[in-house]
Amino acid sequence: MTAKDCILGRRSIRKFKADPVSHDLIAEIVETASYSPSWKHTQITRYIAVEGALKEKIARECSSLYPPNGDIISAAPVLMAVTIIKNRSGFERDGSFSTPRGNGWQMYDAGIASQSLCLAAYEQGLGSVILGLFDQSAAEALLQLPEDRELVALIPIGYPDETPVAPRRKPVEELLSYQS
């Protein structure tokens, strides 16, 4: 499977089979995602694979912003909590910002790593969807995140129980311009 095949074929999956996902497969996917680029190679993204009772608690208690996300989390065998180590990406060693974007660079790193995780999962026959609507404070408390970490996304993962069609895309002419 080529990179283009992965990008064109991957869909956001919201319905999953009950089949468990092996810990070895999750580790392989995270290892692949670890090759994602990051600000000055800071590698700030960390993953927590959540299963069982804690996954169900997150589904129930952290989805009030958009209740269907709780159903999606419950249906997936594994929930990947994507976290970052704060105050590294976009910062110099003395703690000052490297660019006017301030700490905004950490979201670039987390976004790139999340997409890499989803593409690696897709290559292994798994489906995923990146969720951003959840009660961040409640989820961080349930996950017992240390003070230096922040939860940025939740990604349910499992074997797909649906085959969504690709949504319409904007034409290249609308997305691309040249200047000289």
Side-chain angles (χ1 to χ4, degrees):
M1 180 179 300
T2 66
K4 185 174 182 177
D5 292 335
C6 271
I7 293 166
L8 295 178
R10 188 209 161 269
R11 298 284 166 268
S12 292
I13 300 298
R14 293 173 176 86
K15 294 179 183 173
F16 301 92
K17 295 178 181 173
D19 303 349
V21 179
S22 80
H23 290 187
D24 288 342
L25 186 53
I26 294 293
E28 183 179 338
I29 291 165
V30 169
E31 180 182 19
T32 300
S34 77
Y35 282 82
S36 299
S38 62
W39 176 271
K40 295 187 178 182
H41 197 57
T42 51
Q43 301 179 72
I44 62 165
T45 307
R46 300 291 186 273
Y47 308 92
I48 303 168
V50 185
E51 301 170 307
L54 180 56
K55 179 182 71 77
E56 293 307 318
K57 195 167 188 170
I58 290 170
R60 272 192 324 274
E61 297 179 15
C62 302
S63 61
S64 61
L65 291 173
Y66 186 68
N69 281 349
D71 297 333
I72 296 167
I73 293 168
S74 284
V78 179
L79 176 65
M80 299 300 290
V82 181
T83 72
I84 54 162
I85 299 173
K86 296 189 271 189
N87 302 324
R88 286 195 188 166
S89 184
F91 291 83
E92 295 300 321
R93 290 190 187 272
D94 66 4
S96 64
F97 293 130
S98 299
T99 75
R101 294 210 186 273
N103 68 358
W105 283 104
Q106 61 196 16
M107 292 305 283
Y108 284 97
D109 289 354
I112 293 167
S114 293
Q115 177 67 348
S116 294
L117 181 86
C118 291
L119 290 173
Y122 175 72
E123 182 183 36
Q124 295 297 330
L126 297 171
S128 61
V129 60
I130 300 172
L131 303 178
L133 285 174
F134 57 88
D135 184 333
Q136 180 182 344
S137 296
E140 286 177 345
L142 288 172
L143 293 167
Q144 300 178 350
L145 288 188
E147 197 62 31
D148 70 335
R149 298 251 297 269
E150 179 180 337
L151 177 63
V152 296
L154 295 174
I155 304 178
I157 292 182
Y159 293 96
D161 199 19
E162 65 176 338
T163 310
V165 297
R168 193 177 65 78
R169 299 292 194 243
K170 295 182 186 303
V172 171
E173 298 77 25
E174 188 175 332
L175 301 173
L176 174 66
S177 63
Y178 290 94
Q179 295 183 1
S180 54

